[in-house]
Amino acid sequence: MKWVLVVISFAGSPDPYPYNAGVFNDMYDCFWAREWYIENELELDEFDNPINAQAVCVRVEEDLLKSP
């Protein structure tokens, strides 16, 4: 199993735009990357919550990540 950092954003559109922001070997690395991504790449409100976006770590089977 791998962990994928998925970011979902509404960048100037009412339609969500999901994208893979990284693949990690364990949950802790993914969570660390998620925190870094939120703090450095997303717009935040006064409580440090992301605006118009969310980042989540998802456990994924490795076979799913292989290119055809």
Side-chain angles (χ1 to χ4, degrees):
M1 293 289 194
K2 296 280 187 177
W3 288 84
V4 177
L5 177 56
V6 178
V7 178
I8 304 165
S9 69
F10 291 85
S13 169
D15 298 320
Y17 173 69
Y19 57 96
N20 176 340
V23 177
F24 304 90
N25 290 322
D26 63 57
M27 176 181 68
Y28 302 105
D29 288 343
C30 188
F31 284 178
W32 181 89
R34 177 186 176 273
E35 292 302 315
W36 184 92
Y37 197 92
I38 288 172
E39 291 176 12
N40 293 283
E41 299 293 329
L42 299 179
E43 182 181 358
L44 303 176
D45 66 11
E46 66 272 15
F47 303 107
D48 291 334
N49 296 313
I51 299 171
N52 297 328
Q54 188 55 267
V56 61
C57 291
V58 179
R59 194 171 85 170
V60 177
E61 293 177 355
E62 288 185 47
D63 291 344
L64 187 63
L65 299 173
K66 294 180 182 173
S67 298

